[in-house]
């Protein structure tokens, strides 16, 4: 025992002399400071007002992920052990300064753009011009906190200068320990997922990036930048279309072309404001249906009577779910085969609905209840061509349901925003309250469902959709009151299916089942075009179509000539076509009875073709 003690003592004496301890503390001060700065960043960013600091809030946000904060900080400062003498001091100060400036830039950028900056910005040179000036105006008096550790570090070096002046060498073993262990910790989850295909690994969700601000919360701003640089690098080289790709694109557009003479729909809505409502998780099967003697969607049912209605609009979203719907409606392109299009290629150019309408004199704005960082909406929608993007921060979230602001309060605050807009305008609006898990609180439930159904996902879904339908009715009333409705065209579509997409199994478990709500294998959402002045409606129940067909259809009604988009839009104008089909995300073609086998093959390829066109920035070259 005593010999063991003496071994330990000797070891400590040899390795942990006073100078070593002093140098270790010198290493730990910036490591801890950068961790704290990550927490302070959260303390600003998690505040409704990001100029005010709530450290406790920041700590709560960062706490579950603090090991990542420590790991990233350790890795950066571990390299100081490769330096000897004053080199180590210089490295430590420089690295601390670099990381601090990075975090400061993040918080300044966040105050202006409500998300963290990506290295992608460096590729958007057009935006860089006035960016630096506007970012610098986003400072707060409290930002001096980020510099305090430099004073501490300087005082420390001054007091302990003797220990530093003693010549000390490189500490390779310490470097290896302080770098390799944290690196192993950081890469454990992505390696398990990508190399060992273990998708169930604990914390896998941290690496499925659908919100950059969340990535900065999980990994600290420093870790976020490493992950961001990797993804930007991965997607940095635009795809180069091969001759075969070019031939495929040509073949698809030629097959698509239908030279039909214009009909009575062309231009009948010319000059009208376009108000698009993208409804969360709204499926077609609830339309016109009653449960317990009550209509689930009485307001939509009423609108449909005088609308152009496409009940068989197949969902075509992929991994970007909601955001893929935004993409398709506005660009008539199918989303990428892998990952979220808005995240991976926010800089792609499109011959888009907002761009085409701007040429017709429209002002355009996308108004989201979500944060702009969610699905990278801010960059994605501005990239698509909207003049203006408003998000969560433009709203007073005084009533919350599920993910965010209630549809009622959202619409009530959208109306004045629309009023301010220069006419004619195109505005995209998005509802949120009918998002899964469909457990809308009792006080909003009005259908009086039996207890089993009420407690089920399906019952929750009916109630959520019923609530949202009511708010759409309320929105239209408000638009009427404000005089906005008479000169507007209202378009409504479900972003993707809901209860069948996420909770299909729970429907089978119900003791009483009705045919109409069982899964038909056809994932469809309603697409409704409502002109308030129209006296007569039409339901296109024989038509099979997809979400990419919305844009050409609306452009036709708004009187935009088809030669302006027929060589870039993958969808077709549903009001002047002899074709009835949709290619869905899993590669199958729905409908298409009058298509030849060859045509079917060509259309099925459109999923791959769209992917390549987006990655190759195809529209940039043709427009
Ligand atoms: C709705 C969106 C929801 O705007 O925030 O996203 P989802 O989870 O449906 O993709
Ligand atoms: Mn959605």
């Amino acid at each position: 025992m005593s010999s063991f003690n003496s071994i330990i003592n000797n070891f400590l004496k040899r390795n942990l002399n006073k100078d070593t301890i002093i140098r270790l503390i010198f290493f730990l001060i910036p490591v801890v400071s950068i961790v704290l700065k990550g927490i302070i960043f959260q303390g600003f960013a998690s505040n409704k007002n990001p100029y005010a600091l709530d450290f406790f809030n920041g700590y709560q946000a960062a706490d579950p992920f603090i090991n990542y904060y420590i790991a990233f900080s350790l890795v950066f400062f571990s390299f100081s052990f490769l330096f000897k003498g004053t080199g180590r001091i210089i490295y430590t100060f420089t690295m601390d300064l670099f990381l601090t400036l990075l975090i400061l830039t993040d918080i300044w950028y966040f105050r202006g753009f409500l998300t963290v900056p990506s290295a992608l910005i460096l590729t958007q040179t057009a935006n860089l011009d006035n960016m630096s000036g506007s970012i610098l105006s986003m400072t707060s008096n409290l930002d001096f906190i980020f510099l305090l550790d430099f004073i501490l570090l300087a005082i420390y070096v001054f007091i302990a200068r003797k220990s530093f002046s003693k010549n000390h060498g490189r500490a390779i073993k310490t470097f290896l320990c302080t770098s390799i262990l944290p690196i192993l910790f950081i890469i454990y989850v992505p390696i398990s997922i990508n190399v060992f295909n273990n998708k169930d690994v604990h914390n896998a969700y941290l690496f499925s990036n659908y919100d950059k601000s969340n990535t900065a919360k999980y990994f600290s701003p420093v870790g976020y930048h490493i992950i961001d640089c990797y993804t930007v690098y991965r997607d940095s080289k635009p795809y180069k279309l091969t001759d075969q790709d070019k031939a495929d694109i040509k073949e698809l557009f030629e097959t698509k072309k239908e030279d039909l003479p214009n009909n009575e729909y062309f231009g009948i809505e010319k000059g009208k404001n376009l108000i698009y409502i993208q409804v969360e998780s709204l499926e077609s099967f609830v339309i016109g249906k009653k449960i317990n003697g009550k209509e689930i969607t009485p307001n939509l049912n009423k609108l449909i009577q005088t609308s152009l209605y496409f009940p068989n609009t197949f969902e075509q979203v992929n991994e970007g779910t909601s955001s893929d719907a935004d993409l398709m409606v506005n660009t008539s392109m199918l989303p990428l085969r892998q990952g979220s299009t808005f995240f991976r290629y926010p800089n792609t150019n499109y011959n888009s609905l907002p761009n085409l309408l701007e040429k017709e004199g429209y002002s355009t704005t996308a108004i989201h209840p979500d944060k702009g960082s969610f699905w990278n909406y801010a960059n994605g929608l501005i990239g698509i061509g909207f003049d203006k993007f408003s998000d969560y921060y433009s709203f007073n979230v005084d009533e919350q349901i599920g993910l965010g602001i209630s549809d009622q309060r959202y619409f009530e605050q959208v109306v004045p925003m629309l009023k301010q807009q220069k006419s004619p305008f195109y505005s995209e609006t998005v509802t949120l309250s009918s998002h899964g898990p469909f457990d809308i609180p009792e006080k909003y439930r009005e259908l009086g469902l039996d207890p089993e159904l009420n407690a089920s996902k399906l019952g929750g879904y009916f109630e959520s959709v019923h609530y949202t339908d009511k708010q759409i009715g309320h929105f239209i009333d408000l638009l009427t009151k404000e005089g906005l409705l008479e000169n507007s065209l209202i378009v409504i579509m479900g972003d993707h299916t809901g209860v069948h997409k996420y909770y299909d199994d729970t429907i089978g478990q119900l003791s009483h089942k009705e045919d109409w709500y069982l899964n038909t294998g056809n994932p469809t959402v309603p697409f409704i075009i409502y002109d308030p002045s129209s006296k007569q409606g039409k339901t296109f129940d024989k038509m099979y179509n997809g979400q990419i067909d919305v844009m050409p259809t609306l452009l036709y009604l708004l009187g935009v000539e088809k030669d302006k988009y027929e060589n870039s839009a993958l969808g077709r104008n549903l009001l002047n076509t002899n074709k009835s089909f949709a290619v869905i995300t899993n590669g199958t073609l729905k409908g298409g009875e009058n298509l030849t086998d060859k045509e079917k093959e060509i259309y099925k390829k459109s999923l791959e073709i769209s992917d390549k066109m987006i990655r190759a920035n195809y529209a940039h070259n043709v427009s």
Side-chain angles (χ1 to χ4, degrees):
M1 193 65 191
S2 66
S3 70
F4 177 74
N5 278 346
S6 68
I7 290 173
I8 293 284
N9 283 338
N10 279 340
F11 174 84
L12 290 178
K13 240 186 247 157
R14 239 184 310 123
N15 291 289
L16 273 189
N17 56 45
K18 188 172 142 237
D19 291 340
T20 314
I21 294 175
I22 284 174
R23 289 197 286 267
L24 197 65
I25 293 174
F26 178 70
F27 167 73
L28 289 175
I29 292 174
V31 168
V32 173
S33 302
I34 290 298
V35 171
L36 282 174
K37 287 175 197 180
I39 297 173
I40 294 171
F41 170 83
Q42 294 307 332
F44 282 115
S46 55
N47 251 351
K48 180 100 199 182
N49 168 13
Y51 289 86
L53 172 65
D54 184 338
F55 184 81
F56 184 67
N57 226 351
Y59 178 73
Q60 276 188 322
D63 182 35
F65 319 104
I66 206 72
N67 289 343
Y68 281 110
Y69 284 49
I70 298 169
F72 277 106
S73 187
L74 276 173
V75 174
F76 277 101
F77 288 104
S78 66
F79 288 88
S80 68
F81 292 114
L82 295 180
F83 293 86
K84 49 187 181 180
T86 44
R88 193 177 293 178
I89 300 177
I90 294 169
Y91 176 88
T92 305
F93 268 95
T94 312
M95 186 45 74
D96 195 2
L97 188 66
F98 171 72
L99 297 177
T100 301
L101 285 178
L102 198 65
I103 300 174
L104 270 172
T105 310
D106 288 340
I107 189 62
W108 296 336
Y109 186 92
F110 190 91
R111 289 179 186 135
F113 301 92
L114 305 166
T115 182
V116 280
S118 160
L120 253 188
I121 297 165
L122 302 174
T123 63
Q124 287 171 298
T125 39
N127 285 355
L128 275 179
D129 288 351
N130 48 18
M131 192 105 100
S132 47
S134 59
I135 292 179
L136 281 177
S137 67
M138 306 301 169
T139 54
S140 146
N141 290 341
L142 290 170
D143 294 344
F144 76 92
I145 300 174
F146 287 96
L147 303 174
L148 290 180
D149 63 314
F150 290 98
I151 301 172
L152 178 68
L153 215 52
I155 295 173
Y156 185 80
V157 172
F158 180 75
I159 294 173
R161 61 190 177 282
K162 281 203 189 110
S163 299
F164 288 101
S165 60
K166 279 183 199 139
N167 222 358
H168 59 87
R170 296 189 176 90
I172 307 287
K173 275 190 241 148
T174 320
F175 162 68
L176 290 176
C177 277
T178 49
S179 60
I180 292 182
L181 291 179
I183 288 176
L184 287 178
F185 174 74
I186 293 164
I187 64 172
Y188 172 73
V189 175
I191 295 281
S192 307
I193 298 172
N194 298 314
V195 180
F196 298 107
N197 240 328
N198 177 10
K199 303 265 184 280
D200 290 333
V201 61
H202 181 59
N203 277 344
Y205 77 99
L206 302 182
F207 289 82
S208 60
N209 68 28
Y210 60 87
D211 186 333
K212 289 192 291 176
S213 301
N214 275 346
T215 307
K217 178 164 93 182
Y218 303 151
F219 302 108
S220 81
V222 173
Y224 156 73
H225 284 290
I226 301 289
I227 293 169
D228 175 61
C229 283
Y230 165 73
T231 36
V232 169
Y233 167 76
R234 191 192 59 194
D235 293 336
S236 62
K237 287 178 222 75
Y239 178 75
K240 197 159 169 1
L241 295 170
T242 62
D243 289 342
Q244 182 60 49
D245 295 333
K246 289 179 191 158
D248 287 346
I249 294 172
K250 197 161 166 245
E251 184 181 46
L252 176 63
F253 281 105
E254 266 162 22
T255 312
K256 236 185 84 255
K257 216 165 257 170
E258 289 179 274
D259 277 321
L260 304 171
N262 271 342
N263 60 22
E264 73 276 18
Y265 290 113
F266 180 71
I268 53 169
E269 305 293 349
K270 198 167 178 64
K272 288 254 175 92
N273 300 321
L274 172 61
I275 302 173
Y276 167 56
I277 308 173
Q278 186 161 288
V279 184
E280 178 58 45
S281 298
L282 180 65
E283 299 194 33
S284 296
F285 81 102
V286 290
I287 302 292
K289 287 291 186 296
K290 282 187 179 166
I291 189 99
N292 213 9
K294 284 192 179 139
E295 285 179 276
I296 300 172
T297 57
N299 290 289
L300 293 181
N301 300 347
K302 199 165 137 241
L303 293 187
I304 283 169
Q305 285 172 12
T306 56
S307 296
L308 303 173
Y309 173 44
F310 299 88
N312 308 313
T313 301
F314 281 82
E315 144 189 303
Q316 291 171 308
V317 299
N318 197 24
E319 293 180 11
T321 38
S322 283
S323 63
D324 285 347
D326 295 62
L327 173 86
M328 286 186 282
V329 164
N330 289 299
T331 65
S332 192
M333 298 292 290
L334 290 156
L336 292 187
R337 294 299 82 211
Q338 245 193 355
S340 127
T341 311
F342 280 1
F343 262 113
R344 293 186 59 198
Y345 290 88
N347 295 337
T348 288
N349 300 91
Y350 299 95
N351 190 22
S352 65
L353 186 58
N355 283 339
L356 287 158
L357 290 181
E358 276 158 27
K359 288 187 191 137
E360 305 288 314
Y362 278 68
S363 66
T364 61
T365 159
I367 310 172
H368 257 267
D370 306 285
K371 291 185 182 169
S373 56
F374 196 76
W375 284 129
N376 210 15
Y377 280 129
N379 297 323
L381 290 163
I382 292 292
I384 273 178
F386 280 99
D387 286 340
K388 193 167 175 256
F389 171 75
S390 303
D391 74 348
Y392 166 88
Y393 292 95
S394 304
F395 291 91
N396 177 10
V397 187
D398 46 9
E399 185 188 43
Q400 168 136 2
I401 297 181
L403 277 196
I405 184 169
S406 69
D407 290 345
Q408 177 181 349
R409 293 297 295 130
Y410 169 73
F411 280 133
E412 285 169 355
Q413 293 174 65
V414 163
V415 173
M417 295 182 191
L418 297 184
K419 265 205 102 172
Q420 276 172 14
Q421 222 159 295
K422 192 171 81 42
S423 280
F425 62 78
Y426 162 38
S427 285
E428 171 181 323
T429 65
V430 180
T431 72
L432 205 53
S433 300
S434 50
H435 195 280
F438 313 128
D439 50 7
I440 185 160
E442 278 307 319
K443 66 172 174 183
Y444 300 106
R445 297 187 179 220
E446 294 181 343
L447 291 170
L449 306 176
D450 74 59
E452 188 198 354
L453 189 56
N454 192 42
S456 73
K457 289 292 177 202
L458 182 66
Y461 180 73
F462 289 151
E463 292 284 10
S464 309
V465 166
H466 181 71
Y467 166 83
T468 297
D469 171 86
K470 184 174 170 182
Q471 301 318 324
I472 292 174
H474 180 49
F475 180 46
I476 290 180
D477 287 347
L478 292 175
L479 292 175
T480 314
K481 262 195 217 126
E482 295 296 334
L484 276 167
L485 194 66
E486 53 195 88
N487 207 25
S488 300
L489 183 66
I490 309 277
V491 174
I492 300 170
M493 190 181 69
D495 63 346
H496 47 73
T497 54
V499 70
H500 290 120
K501 188 177 181 76
Y502 299 111
Y503 299 106
D504 199 29
D505 54 323
T506 64
I507 301 177
Q509 289 156 13
L510 291 168
S511 56
H512 169 77
K513 291 185 267 294
E514 293 186 26
D515 284 347
W516 64 270
Y517 56 58
L518 299 181
N519 195 340
T520 56
N522 280 348
T524 54
V525 297
F527 167 31
I528 303 163
I529 304 172
Y530 172 64
D531 172 346
S533 64
S534 164
K535 299 275 167 295
Q536 222 189 343
K538 183 167 178 185
T539 294
F540 294 75
D541 48 6
K542 299 278 175 305
M543 172 66 78
Y544 271 32
N545 60 279
Q547 293 176 300
I548 55 170
D549 303 323
V550 171
M551 180 177 115
T553 307
L554 298 181
L555 286 171
Y556 195 66
L557 286 167
L558 294 167
V560 179
E561 296 290 348
K562 68 176 174 192
D563 60 347
K564 298 203 171 131
Y565 56 86
E566 69 182 349
N567 288 321
S568 58
L570 291 180
R572 65 186 188 284
N573 162 20
L574 301 174
L575 297 167
N576 197 10
T577 179
N578 289 323
K579 295 173 184 174
S580 168
F581 73 93
V583 177
I584 63 171
T585 305
N586 66 11
T588 50
L589 190 132
K590 296 285 185 176
E593 271 72 38
N594 56 356
L595 298 179
T596 63
D597 285 349
K598 172 91 182 129
E599 282 175 320
K600 284 185 188 166
E601 279 322 302
I602 293 170
Y603 285 126
K604 280 191 203 166
K605 269 200 268 176
S606 59
L607 291 166
E608 283 304 324
I609 291 178
S610 183
D611 182 279
K612 288 175 179 168
M613 285 170 73
I614 292 173
R615 290 193 288 130
N617 205 358
Y618 180 82
H620 182 65
N621 302 323
V622 292
S623 59

